[in-house]
Amino acid sequence: MQGSAYAREEALCIEFDVRAGDVEHGGMASSQIKAALKQFGLSEPVARRAGIIAFEGEMNLIVYSDSGGTIRVCVDSEYIEITVQDFGPGIEDVDLALTPGYSTAPAWATDLGFGAGMGLHNMEKNADRFEIHSRLDEGTTISCWVKRRTDDSS
Amino acid sequence: MRLPELLKLTEGRLLVDAKEDVFMDRAYAADLLSDVLALTDEQTTLITGTTSPQVIRVAEILNIVAIIFVRGKQPSDAVLEYALRLGIPIITTKKAMFEICGLMYENGVKPCKDRPMPEKKPSV
């Protein structure tokens, strides 16, 4: 899996396309994102939090999206911004989807160890700021910000 | 607990050896990987019956120190090769998850802690 890197204003970004149903490669983008963040000089706890967010987002694209989507990670002087976007089917009840333990995962995903109903909650929990926008039949965009420096990692 | 002691205790088989000396003082047991991602602390040993390719990638993201596959489960060669590259030891045992947890706990391995998260969400 190859990500494309580019500069955006004052941030450096890397973007990956993730295919729906591509279990075999599930997690590879996140592995590369975590490695890139560490190469970029970010501390292990911060790279780990960003890696968890990316991983949950990546698996959500694989398990739930109609046609896959993208994960974009941008690093500026203060924050790591992780954006996960798909183009459907959208989430009917976002508050319910954020509830720990709630899951609509199909059986094949549960067999792989997913569908604990913790994915979105994990993303929110590991982010300093979390936003989710979803419309039925249009898609879902999740944006998470992780501070580059935290009290336990500076 | 170190690998030789763990192998003896669990009657386990070492599928991938560690690159460096590994010490296991905390563990977490689950088959659901999102639970693992939600609740594990640093330096955790993972006890699981899930053999999907994502197990090793979760282990990489979380810096898991060793993975013990229970109920005789054995991951694919691709997972083992990836583990070898990362230097994460892989053990398989025929014993069930509950028994492995009990044996390790009895021998001084403690549960991993829930990681505290920032209470206030600073604005960006």
Side-chain angles (χ1 to χ4, degrees), chain A residues 23-28 30-31 34 44-45 48-49 51-52 55-56 59 79 110-116 118-119 122 124-129 145 147, chain B residues 31-44 50-55 57-58 60-63 82 114-118 120-124:
Chain A
V23 171
E24 191 191 337
H25 297 105
M28 281 182 79
S30 306
S31 294
K34 188 187 173 194
E44 173 58 37
R48 187 176 191 264
R49 284 171 62 196
I52 291 172
F55 186 91
E56 293 286 14
M59 291 312 298
Y79 288 94
T110 314
D111 290 345
L112 293 168
F114 296 95
M118 296 299 287
N122 275 351
E124 185 178 25
K125 186 178 158 189
N126 280 284
D128 291 305
R129 181 181 159 195
W145 288 262
K147 275 173 100 173
Chain B
D31 282 347
L32 288 172
L33 295 175
S34 277
D35 278 348
V36 180
L37 284 162
L39 294 167
T40 52
D41 195 5
E42 291 281 314
Q43 302 299 311
T44 297
T50 298
T51 55
S52 73
Q54 282 70 42
V55 169
R57 298 188 187 125
V58 165
E60 181 183 16
I61 284 168
L62 296 177
N63 293 338
Y82 203 85
D114 194 357
R115 200 156 29 93
M117 299 303 297
K120 285 182 182 173
K121 303 271 178 187
S123 57
V124 174

Side-chain angles (χ1 to χ4, degrees), chain B residues 3-78:
Chain B
L3 276 176
E5 189 187 347
L6 178 84
L7 289 169
K8 196 174 164 193
L9 191 69
T10 61
E11 296 171 23
R13 200 154 53 87
L14 190 64
L15 300 179
V16 173
D17 205 351
K19 266 186 191 163
E20 297 164 4
D21 191 25
V22 166
F23 186 73
M24 293 163 278
D25 62 347
R26 293 191 180 276
Y28 187 76
D31 282 347
L32 288 172
L33 295 175
S34 277
D35 278 348
V36 180
L37 284 162
L39 294 167
T40 52
D41 195 5
E42 291 281 314
Q43 302 299 311
T44 297
T45 299
L46 175 62
I47 304 162
T48 188
T50 298
T51 55
S52 73
Q54 282 70 42
V55 169
I56 193 65
R57 298 188 187 125
V58 165
E60 181 183 16
I61 284 168
L62 296 177
N63 293 338
I64 297 279
V65 296
I67 307 175
I68 304 167
F69 288 100
V70 294
R71 307 191 291 272
K73 296 287 181 74
Q74 188 163 334
S76 67
D77 287 349

Side-chain angles (χ1 to χ4, degrees), chain A residues 61-134:
Chain A
L61 291 176
I62 290 168
V63 174
Y64 299 105
S65 74
D66 288 335
S67 56
T70 57
I71 303 178
R72 188 181 66 231
V73 178
C74 292
V75 182
D76 65 20
S77 57
E78 266 191 279
Y79 288 94
I80 305 159
E81 180 186 353
I82 303 143
T83 308
V84 182
Q85 185 175 25
D86 68 44
F87 303 97
I91 299 169
E92 196 171 342
D93 185 334
V94 170
D95 287 338
L96 191 57
L98 282 166
T99 308
Y102 177 81
S103 175
T104 58
W108 64 264
T110 314
D111 290 345
L112 293 168
F114 296 95
M118 296 299 287
L120 290 177
H121 177 70
N122 275 351
M123 293 174 85
E124 185 178 25
K125 186 178 158 189
N126 280 284
D128 291 305
R129 181 181 159 195
F130 173 88
E131 286 182 5
I132 179 166
H133 300 283
S134 191

Side-chain angles (χ1 to χ4, degrees), chain B residues 59-108:
Chain B
E60 181 183 16
I61 284 168
L62 296 177
N63 293 338
I64 297 279
V65 296
I67 307 175
I68 304 167
F69 288 100
V70 294
R71 307 191 291 272
K73 296 287 181 74
Q74 188 163 334
S76 67
D77 287 349
V79 169
L80 296 179
E81 282 164 21
Y82 203 85
L84 186 66
R85 219 165 63 223
L86 295 173
I88 299 176
I90 306 284
I91 298 104
T92 183
T93 172
K94 287 182 179 166
K95 293 184 187 295
M97 187 181 278
F98 179 75
E99 191 175 356
I100 294 300
C101 294
L103 286 168
M104 289 177 74
Y105 192 91
E106 239 177 20
N107 283 273

